[in-house]
């Protein structure tokens, strides 16, 4: 852990107990794929290069609801992102295998050619778009996790965090957002917030449970799941919007593949299948937006 190590925009999530699993891909997910929208046949004709292929999806499988190891079968993955990737593959005619890596290694795994796509609850930012092109599809809402009763009266990513200890994942976009509060706290004559850096969600949550940290800011669904797991010890102080979108990362040197994935995702969006997946995994359907692009030259 630490307080002053701030990678600019990459997130890192790694569970040591499952470290061996992070070095290899596991089997196919357990969920059945929905039938491809009718327009997908035309897309396969328009983008034939990937039909019949097996591609690699780099994931960090430690965010329940999005991607995680199936508790009933540790050789498989489950979650919204897993299902969404399978539907994109069904639409374009390819199959997916999985390469599990730390979150910080997702984009380097992609750019090095060890993976073909990244579908892993990754926020599309201008900085990350220097390493990959993104097809965006969801708004971003973060939750602010605190101890039951919110003893520090934290009300968001604002000066209510002055003097508080925040547990965060190394490389997450929330780290520089909290770091940016330091001059504001000094201006108000308040102590600056400190940041404890951890490698995964579970350790951040445990830091609050153990009293080492006062807050943890992350995806609102992750925070809500923590509250469900410890309803007598934790609560969500507030949900906040942060200025990013969730996206699918593809190699910058493969614009045709990027366009194919965006076209397939658009058909899945229009058909209502993407909305159905959000509901299946108890994720907020209000987050859904029409697919877009974020690219940086």
């Amino acid at each position: 852990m630490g307080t002053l190590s701030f990678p600019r925009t990459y997130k890192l999530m790694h569970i040591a107990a499952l470290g061996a699993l992070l070095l290899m891909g596991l089997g196919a997910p357990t969920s059945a794929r929905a039938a491809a929208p009718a327009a997908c046949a035309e897309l396969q004709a328009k983008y034939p290069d990937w039909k019949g292929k097996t591609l690699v999806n780099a994931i960090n499988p430690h965010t329940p609801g999005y991607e995680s190891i199936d508790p009933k079968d540790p050789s498989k993955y489950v979650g919204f992102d897993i299902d969404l990737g399978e539907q994109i593959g069904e639409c374009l005619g390819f199959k997916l295998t999985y390469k599990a890596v730390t979150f910080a290694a997702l984009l380097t795994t992609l750019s090095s050619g060890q993976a073909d796509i990244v579908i892993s609850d990754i926020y599309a930012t201008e900085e990350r778009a220097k390493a990959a092109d993104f097809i965006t599809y969801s708004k971003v809402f973060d939750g602010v996790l605190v101890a039951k009763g919110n003893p520090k009266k934290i009300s968001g990513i604002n000066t209510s965090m002055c003097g508080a200890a925040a547990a965060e994942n190394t490389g997450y976009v929330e780290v520089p957002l909290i770091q940016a509060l330091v001059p504001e706290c000094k201006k108000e004559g308040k102590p600056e917030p400190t940041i404890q850096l951890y490698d995964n969600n579970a350790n951040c949550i445990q830091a609050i449970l153990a009293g080492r940290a006062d807050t943890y800011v992350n995806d609102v669904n992750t925070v809500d799941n923590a509250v469900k797991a410890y309803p007598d010890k934790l609560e969500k102080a507030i949900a906040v919007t942060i200025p990013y979108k969730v996206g699918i990362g593809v190699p910058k040197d493969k614009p045709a593949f990027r366009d194919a994935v965006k076209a397939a995702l658009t058909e899945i969006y229009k058909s209502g299948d993407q909305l159905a997946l959000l509901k299946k995994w108890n994720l907020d359907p209000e987050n859904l937006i029409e697919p877009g692009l974020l690219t940086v030259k």
Side-chain angles (χ1 to χ4, degrees):
M1 69 184 71
T3 59
L4 291 175
S5 176
F6 301 106
R8 285 183 297 181
T9 49
Y10 284 77
K11 301 199 264 189
L12 171 65
M13 296 172 64
H14 173 68
I15 296 181
L18 297 173
L21 293 176
L22 298 179
L23 300 177
M24 62 183 181
L26 301 183
T30 59
S31 54
R33 293 187 295 243
C40 290
E42 296 179 10
L43 292 181
Q44 290 183 26
K46 183 177 181 180
Y47 301 103
D49 291 350
W50 296 279
K51 187 173 182 178
K53 300 292 180 63
T54 298
L55 305 183
V56 178
N57 180 14
I59 62 172
N60 179 249
H62 302 295
T63 307
Y66 294 97
E67 52 275 317
S68 61
I69 297 169
D70 187 345
K72 297 179 181 179
D73 185 347
S75 70
K76 297 178 180 178
Y77 297 120
V78 293
F80 170 82
D81 288 333
I82 303 300
D83 286 355
L84 184 62
E86 294 292 319
Q87 287 204 10
I88 292 170
E90 181 78 12
C91 186
L92 293 174
F94 63 75
K95 296 183 181 299
L96 283 174
T97 58
Y98 299 89
K99 186 175 183 65
V101 297
T102 61
F103 203 100
L106 286 173
L107 295 183
T108 54
T109 300
L110 181 72
S111 61
S112 68
Q114 298 178 68
D116 302 290
I117 195 168
V118 172
I119 310 176
S120 193
D121 190 34
I122 186 169
Y123 296 175
T125 68
E126 292 285 337
E127 186 65 29
R128 287 175 179 161
K130 295 177 182 178
D133 288 344
F134 284 93
I135 300 101
T136 56
Y137 62 85
S138 176
K139 302 173 189 174
V140 171
F141 292 99
D142 267 8
V144 179
L145 186 68
V146 295
K148 192 74 173 180
N150 193 8
K152 291 294 181 76
K153 307 304 178 188
I154 295 170
S155 61
I157 307 176
N158 54 38
T159 55
S160 67
M161 286 189 177
C162 296
E168 291 298 330
N169 285 296
T170 302
Y172 270 25
V173 298
E174 291 82 3
V175 173
L177 293 178
I178 296 171
Q179 181 190 22
L181 297 175
V182 171
E184 296 182 40
C185 292
K186 289 181 177 178
K187 188 184 299 182
E188 295 185 12
K190 299 177 180 178
E192 64 186 57
T194 57
I195 299 180
Q196 301 170 5
L197 294 177
Y198 295 96
D199 289 339
N200 58 70
N201 288 330
N203 285 345
C204 292
I205 293 165
Q206 286 299 321
I208 297 179
L209 291 170
R212 296 191 303 270
D214 303 303
T215 187
Y216 172 47
V217 186
N218 200 350
D219 173 86
V220 69
N221 295 291
T222 300
V223 168
D224 285 343
N225 284 332
V227 174
K228 289 177 183 177
Y230 302 96
D232 298 329
K233 297 181 179 180
L234 299 173
E235 68 179 68
K236 180 174 65 181
I238 195 171
V240 295
T241 303
I242 60 175
Y244 305 112
K245 297 174 183 175
V246 182
I248 295 170
V250 296
K252 294 189 72 64
D253 61 353
K254 295 183 178 179
F257 182 56
R258 176 199 66 203
D259 294 345
V261 172
K262 181 177 182 291
L265 185 58
T266 298
E267 293 303 325
I268 294 167
Y269 167 84
K270 286 161 51 177
S271 72
D273 290 344
Q274 192 174 359
L275 179 63
L277 288 181
L278 287 171
K279 293 178 179 178
K280 170 186 175 181
W281 291 103
N282 296 315
L283 303 176
D284 190 350
E286 294 299 320
N287 292 11
L288 188 62
I289 57 173
E290 187 170 357
L293 287 176
L294 176 62
T295 62
V296 173
K297 293 184 178 181

